[in-house]
């Protein structure tokens, strides 16, 4: 499946004087996870609303699963599952009835509904508490229930607005595992708004970084990291002679090499395999104690992009 | 469509059973209507009030207004509790949601 699940062209939306989304053009291949990152108020939630046809764009266009988000939103919603900004649970109803209601909404036959509710709640470890009104549940428990509701009808496309907000680290990891499986096994496409950079790095094939309604960067986590700075290699050991340094500098993948006492720092051109460099060092008589390969993290990329934007707004050079 | 309406009704009934405050607004509306049409106007216009066709027409509107206000309350409630957007993001049409709420409230008010 190489088709496109979501495609937007200059998608824009303003609220009065606020330009919540400004000329967004992205493409999300079917069967992949697209991560949308950005500071508060960047326009992430607005984008999900536009894609589901809950809001109309003031300019531009979005095609989701081949349907136009304005004229054919019914078709989009029919095949999508959504966990929006608010969990959307009926607090007075029990957890079981919340799922039962949405099972009916999705026209799932009664027998299948029962099985699915049991399966989902058991998977979350919440089956025992199914009869309690949701208002008694903790925030993280509610978030899990809302996630189960979004998955109930096995949608082809999932919109998730900060799904791990409020989850403890192990529950969050579990949800990521589950999502990964869904994408791998069932080929589900996921549009994920998140503030969790590790989560984006772990799950997403493509990431878009948005600020003040404008997309400031787009690419795979690896591409984004490479954009922010080159990887480097730190070697600790003995025998860093001038000959060793010169030999390293002759290598095409090495930008620069310098040593200080027992530490050697090699700046690399891109993420290359470092094993040949290590054997080169060993062949030249270096006693290698430790090798650390480092790369700027996605967090550094994110911060630099977001701050860069901030500065460029102030400086006019 | 009928199925969708029934689904909404299923949920509305359960929410109402668990907390009847949704109807309270409706009853207050009804009391005000009775006070105005049944007490205030007759007192002002005397016995004529009971036999004019206008009166009958007025009374015919009462249940409609009442149902309307309860349905409006129900929507406002969903918006307040942030459940409406998720419901709108489902496969249900706006009409099914509206009719579901409307049909469910009507017999309750009629009782
Ligand atoms: N219904 C609305 N009316 C007016 N302004 C709105 C509305 N919805 C969003 N906005 C504005 O649009 C901008 C983008 O909001 P949005 O909710 O999309 O941000 P976000 O990226 O989801 O932020 P967060 O990370 O805090 O959830 C904000 O300035 C917000 O105030
Ligand atoms: Mg948001």
């Amino acid at each position: 499946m190489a088709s496109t699940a979501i495609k937007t062209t200059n998608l824009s939306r303003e609220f009065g004087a606020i330009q919540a989304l400004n000329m967004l053009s992205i493409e999300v291949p079917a069967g992949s996870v697209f991560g949308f990152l950005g500071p508060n108020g960047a326009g992430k939630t607005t984008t999900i609303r536009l894609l589901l046809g809950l809001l109309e764009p003031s300019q531009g266009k979005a095609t989701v699963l081949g349907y136009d988000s304005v004229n054919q939103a019914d078709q989009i919603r029919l095949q999508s599952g959504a966990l929006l900004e608010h969990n959307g649970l009926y607090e007075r109803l029990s957890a079981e009835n919340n799922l039962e209601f949405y099972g009916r909404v999705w026209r799932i036959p009664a027998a299948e509904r029962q099985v699915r509710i049991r399966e989902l709640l058991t998977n979350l470890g919440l089956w025992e508490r199914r009869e309690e009104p949701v208002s008694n549940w903790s925030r993280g428990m509610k978030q899990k229930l809302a996630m189960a509701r979004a998955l109930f009808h096995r949608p082809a496309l999932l919109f998730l607005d900060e799904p791990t907000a409020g989850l403890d680290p192990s529950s969050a990891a579990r949800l990521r595992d589950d999502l990964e499986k869904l994408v791998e096994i069932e080929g589900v496409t996921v549009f994920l708004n998140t503030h969790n950079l590790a989560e984006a790095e772990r799950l997403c094939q493509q990431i878009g970084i948005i600020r003040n309604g404008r997309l400031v960067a787009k690419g795979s986590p690896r591409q984004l990291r490479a954009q922010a700075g080159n990887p480097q290699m730190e070697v600790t050991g003995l025998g860093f002679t001038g000959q060793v340094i010169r030999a390293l500098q002759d290598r095409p993948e090495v930008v620069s090499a310098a040593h200080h006492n027992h530490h050697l720092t090699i700046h690399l051109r891109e993420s290359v395999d470092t094993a040949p460099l290590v054997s080169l060092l060993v062949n030249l008589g270096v006693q290698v104690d430790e090798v650390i390969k480092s790369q700027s993290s996605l967090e550094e990329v994110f911060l630099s992009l977001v701050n860069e934007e901030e500065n460029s707004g102030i400086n006019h050079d | 469509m009928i199925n969708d309406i029934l689904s909404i009704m299923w949920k509305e009934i359960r929410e109402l059973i668990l907390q009847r405050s949704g109807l309270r607004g409706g009853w207050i509306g009804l009391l005000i209507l009775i006070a105005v049409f049944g007490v205030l106007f007759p007192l002002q216009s005397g016995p004529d009030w009971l036999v004019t066709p206008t009166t009958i027409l007025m009374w015919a509107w009462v249940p409609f207004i009442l149902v309307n206000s309860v349905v409006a309350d129900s929507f406002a409630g969903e918006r307040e509790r942030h459940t409406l957007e998720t419901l709108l993001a489902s496969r249900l049409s706006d009409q099914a949601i509206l009719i579901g709420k409307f049909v469910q409230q009507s017999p309750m008010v009629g009782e």
Side-chain angles (χ1 to χ4, degrees):
Chain A
M1 265 219 297
S3 61
T4 303
I6 301 172
K7 183 177 160 68
T8 71
T9 321
N10 298 336
L11 193 67
S12 310
R13 170 72 201 213
E14 56 221 37
F15 294 104
I18 298 167
Q19 187 76 44
L21 191 65
N22 195 347
M23 307 291 271
L24 179 76
S25 297
I26 51 165
E27 225 171 286
V28 180
S32 72
V33 184
F34 183 86
F36 216 29
L37 299 179
N40 294 130
K44 303 180 296 294
T45 298
T46 302
T47 304
I48 289 194
R49 292 200 176 117
L50 287 166
L51 293 174
L52 276 166
L54 297 170
L55 270 182
E56 289 200 3
S58 34
Q59 204 195 321
K61 147 181 192 74
T63 311
V64 180
L65 301 170
Y67 299 105
D68 181 75
S69 72
V70 177
N71 304 318
Q72 299 169 302
D74 294 357
Q75 290 300 319
I76 298 172
R77 294 195 284 254
L78 194 58
Q79 295 178 56
S80 305
L83 171 52
L84 303 172
E85 192 175 27
H86 301 285
N87 63 35
L89 298 169
Y90 295 96
E91 297 258 330
R92 289 181 220 156
L93 299 187
S94 67
E96 192 177 22
N97 277 345
N98 266 280
L99 292 181
E100 170 72 18
F101 171 53
Y102 271 92
R104 284 166 183 254
V105 162
W106 290 105
R107 296 195 179 160
I108 293 162
E112 200 184 323
R113 276 200 308 264
Q114 302 267 295
V115 175
R116 187 85 173 126
I117 290 172
R118 186 172 190 132
E119 172 192 38
L120 286 165
L121 288 179
T122 309
N123 183 32
L124 296 176
L126 293 168
W127 173 248
E128 254 61 69
R129 303 189 58 174
R130 67 189 178 280
E131 279 166 16
E132 281 175 46
V134 167
S135 55
N136 287 2
W137 281 23
S138 77
R139 173 176 152 162
M141 286 160 68
K142 287 179 193 171
Q143 188 74 359
K144 289 182 199 173
L145 181 63
M147 186 70 195
R149 184 205 54 217
L151 296 174
F152 200 99
H153 55 292
R154 304 180 197 277
L157 175 58
L158 264 180
F159 289 97
L160 304 176
D161 202 345
E162 297 170 36
T164 48
L167 297 193
D168 63 67
S170 74
S171 303
R174 194 129 173 224
L175 184 123
R176 279 178 215 127
D177 286 347
D178 289 350
L179 272 180
E180 230 168 19
K181 266 184 229 141
L182 268 176
V183 173
E184 243 167 61
I185 300 166
E186 298 183 31
V188 170
T189 310
V190 183
F191 189 96
L192 175 76
N193 282 357
T194 180
H195 287 129
N196 186 326
L197 294 149
E199 177 172 298
E201 178 135 35
R202 160 87 199 278
L203 281 176
C204 305
Q205 282 79 52
Q206 292 284 311
I207 288 175
I209 298 181
I210 183 176
R211 182 173 191 280
N212 281 342
R214 274 190 298 122
L215 194 69
V216 292
K218 168 169 74 168
S220 67
R222 196 173 149 168
Q223 283 167 335
L224 288 176
R225 277 197 312 258
Q227 208 172 308
N230 289 327
Q232 52 179 345
M233 211 175 130
E234 305 269 352
V235 186
T236 312
L238 293 172
F240 301 130
T241 60
Q243 186 208 357
V244 170
I245 304 296
R246 275 192 302 279
L248 281 171
Q249 281 164 347
D250 284 344
R251 302 278 299 209
E253 69 267 43
V254 173
V255 177
S256 67
H259 77 106
H260 180 74
N261 295 338
H262 305 309
H263 298 280
L264 171 71
T265 307
I266 308 168
H267 289 275
L268 300 166
R269 224 168 276 288
E270 58 223 2
S271 21
V272 286
D273 185 12
T274 46
L277 290 178
V278 176
S279 47
L280 173 75
L281 290 174
V282 172
N283 288 341
L284 291 172
V286 174
Q287 288 175 272
V288 177
D289 190 32
E290 190 181 25
V291 178
I292 299 169
K293 217 168 128 178
S294 63
Q295 170 116 68
S296 45
S297 69
L298 200 58
E299 181 159 350
E300 285 165 317
V301 179
F302 177 79
L303 291 175
S304 80
L305 279 168
V306 166
N307 294 333
E308 204 173 90
E309 274 282 299
E310 232 154 45
N311 297 337
S312 73
I314 300 158
N315 305 328
H316 292 283
D317 48 350
Chain B
M1 185 72 169
I2 297 291
N3 275 325
D4 297 347
I5 293 168
L6 290 175
S7 302
I8 295 284
M9 288 170 60
W10 181 90
K11 189 265 297 176
E12 291 284 317
I13 289 167
R14 262 156 200 80
E15 277 207 296
L16 270 173
I17 291 169
L18 291 164
Q19 192 177 340
R20 283 185 305 263
S21 74
L23 266 182
R24 213 169 292 151
W27 292 124
I28 291 167
L30 183 65
L31 285 178
I32 292 171
L33 276 172
I34 291 173
V36 172
F37 292 122
V39 184
L40 206 63
F41 282 10
L43 279 181
Q44 276 186 346
S45 34
D48 282 354
W49 176 251
L50 286 173
V51 286
T52 55
T54 344
T55 316
I56 295 154
L57 215 65
M58 287 284 191
W59 284 114
W61 276 99
V62 168
F64 179 77
I65 292 168
L66 189 59
V67 168
N68 224 6
S69 82
V70 177
V71 170
D73 269 6
S74 166
F75 269 101
E78 291 236 11
R79 188 172 288 270
E80 243 164 56
R81 295 189 296 272
H82 305 295
T83 49
L84 186 60
E85 189 165 49
T86 300
L87 195 57
L88 290 171
S90 76
R91 55 167 291 284
L92 294 183
S93 64
D94 304 0
Q95 295 98 301
I97 297 172
L98 177 67
I99 297 171
K101 284 178 183 288
F102 202 89
V103 174
Q104 187 271 315
Q105 304 292 355
S106 310
M108 307 278 289
V109 169
E111 268 165 19

